[in-house]
Amino acid sequence: MSETVNPVLVEVTRGGVVESLHRGAACVYDATGARVLAWGQVETPIFPRSAVKLFQAVPFLETGAADICQANFNELALACASHGGERAHVAVARAWMERLGLEEGHLACGAHFPYETEAANALIRAGESPSVLHNNCSGKHLAMLATALAKGEPVAGYHEPDHPVQQRVRETMAELTGEDLARAPMGIDGCSVPNWGITLAGLARGMARVADPRGLKVVRQSAIRRLRNAVARNPFMVAGTGRFCTALIGHKSTELYVKTGAEGVFVAALYELGVGIALKIDDGAKRASEVALAAILRYLEVLDDADWEALAEFAAPRILNRAGRDVGEIRTVAGWPHGRPQAAEAAAEGASAEG
């Protein structure tokens, strides 16, 4: 197989036969920037989408904006969230927005129906349209607006790439990931803010520094620890009902941080091991990214048998037909994850796959 083709990580079966395959790449790095494990093309830039929301929230705390607006732990968690638009999410966002003296029109994220089915159905039954506060990114946008207000910067255009808010975010992400984002490809995310191309290796390095921030400047260490603690205190704010991020953080809140992004991206920071994980499924399938992340966590012995059973609906999902009959499964391919930890010098060679 060509080294430019990512390996198959996840397969879907029906009647014991493999029906679909999902290729992807993944890696694990430590806080020194050394590669621990890698599979596939981890040095190719990808758009991380919402997987970088914690990185994007760091300037909100570093600038003092979080203290100026007296952000509570629910708001800090919402700043890192791709929330489901449930009643509690919208209530926190609305109270925060009003305390900032802002209106819905100030948020550039756009409106969409809640991700959570019952929340969406409730709006439909009431004959109401969704607002920008239902947008899964509304917390991130409020944190960015609060930063602009605290710094005396224009609120208008806060989402544009050349605005000081976004320049600050880009610099922070560049420092955490170790990548030159001034030269990186840039796209516009679904919520209108810039999304810079970052390699999976860079994302994993950044997550490793979230796991072990001791080598960072003190103000950044404090910001990361406060965000970690806020997420651990209320993982519901990060995603919501029936979501893997909320279930996993809720189950292991003192041990890890995880965050999904659109198009099959997932990242994790493992506190005890001091490592970061980043993965991307080539075809963007959420079903494959969740299974792949769970498998890596199991391989690293972060999830034990009891954890696996509790998280089985995400880690080892069954396929049910319309009548509720079990007809297949979504699983990692035989033998994956695999491999031995790589030495730093081996990582420097940029090997495309291991094992």
Side-chain angles (χ1 to χ4, degrees):
M1 180 182 294
S2 169
E3 291 187 356
T4 62
V5 177
N6 282 326
V8 175
L9 304 182
V10 176
E11 60 189 17
V12 183
T13 73
R14 185 177 298 270
V17 176
V18 174
E19 184 176 35
S20 298
L21 301 171
H22 296 286
R23 297 183 181 276
C27 57
V28 182
Y29 275 71
D30 69 22
T32 71
R35 182 186 294 182
V36 177
L37 291 166
W39 305 272
Q41 300 293 308
V42 302
E43 299 288 353
T44 301
I46 59 112
F47 289 123
R49 308 296 296 274
S50 288
V52 291
K53 279 182 175 169
L54 187 145
F55 296 165
Q56 292 170 315
V58 167
F60 173 51
L61 285 84
E62 284 188 345
T63 59
D67 293 326
I68 290 171
C69 75
Q70 298 181 319
N72 58 43
F73 74 91
N74 282 331
E75 292 161 353
L76 294 180
L78 202 69
C80 302
S82 295
H83 65 75
E86 297 176 68
R87 185 186 301 273
H89 299 129
V90 176
V92 169
R94 186 174 302 282
W96 187 6
M97 178 186 72
E98 291 175 352
R99 197 172 72 250
L100 291 171
L102 298 173
E103 299 176 352
E104 291 181 11
H106 287 106
L107 279 72
C109 54
H112 64 69
F113 272 99
Y115 286 164
E116 200 274 323
T117 302
E118 180 49 39
N121 288 341
L123 281 181
I124 294 170
R125 287 194 299 268
E128 298 177 3
S129 299
S131 76
V132 292
L133 299 181
H134 290 97
N135 187 299
N136 75 98
C137 299
S138 59
K140 175 178 75 176
H141 281 254
L142 286 167
M144 290 175 172
L145 283 162
T147 304
L149 288 169
K151 296 291 289 182
E153 297 162 353
V155 169
Y158 74 92
H159 59 292
E160 299 291 349
D162 59 353
H163 192 281
V165 165
Q166 301 305 330
Q167 290 297 300
R168 206 175 287 118
V169 166
R170 189 189 71 181
E171 292 167 7
T172 300
M173 292 198 297
E175 291 167 4
L176 287 170
T177 62
E179 301 199 346
D180 182 5
L181 299 188
R183 300 177 181 272
M186 188 198 76
I188 300 300
D189 214 332
C191 69
S192 299
V193 302
N195 208 242
W196 285 278
I198 304 174
T199 67
L200 289 175
L203 289 175
R205 284 192 297 265
M207 279 293 114
R209 288 163 184 149
V210 171
D212 181 5
R214 289 176 296 177
L216 305 176
K217 56 189 179 183
V218 173
V219 67
R220 183 155 296 166
Q221 290 187 47
S222 174
I224 288 172
R225 293 184 191 282
R226 285 177 67 185
L227 291 169
R228 281 175 31 173
N229 290 339
V231 167
R233 287 186 64 179
N234 196 347
F236 174 82
M237 280 295 147
V238 178
T241 302
R243 300 278 295 282
F244 189 30
C245 288
T246 287
L248 186 50
I249 296 171
H251 201 67
K252 310 286 284 187
S253 62
T254 63
E255 300 177 44
L256 54 72
Y257 167 83
V258 298
K259 185 68 185 69
T260 188
E263 299 299 327
V265 182
F266 235 118
V267 297
L270 310 183
Y271 305 151
E272 184 174 345
L273 295 178
V275 301
I277 301 169
L279 68 87
K280 168 80 167 77
I281 300 301
D282 288 358
D283 64 10
K286 170 178 169 286
R287 66 181 183 179
S289 66
E290 293 181 346
V291 167
L293 179 68
I296 295 172
L297 294 176
R298 183 70 179 269
Y299 182 69
L300 295 175
E301 300 182 351
V302 175
L303 300 180
D304 59 23
D305 289 345
D307 298 326
W308 194 260
E309 182 176 354
L311 298 166
E313 66 176 296
F314 307 102
R318 306 299 303 181
I319 295 176
L320 305 180
N321 70 6
R322 297 298 184 188
R325 180 179 176 182
D326 189 323
V327 297
E329 64 180 325
I330 307 171
R331 66 192 186 192
T332 58
V333 297
W336 188 83
H338 57 79
R340 299 185 305 276
Q342 294 177 312
E345 57 269 23
E349 295 176 0
S352 65
E354 182 183 63

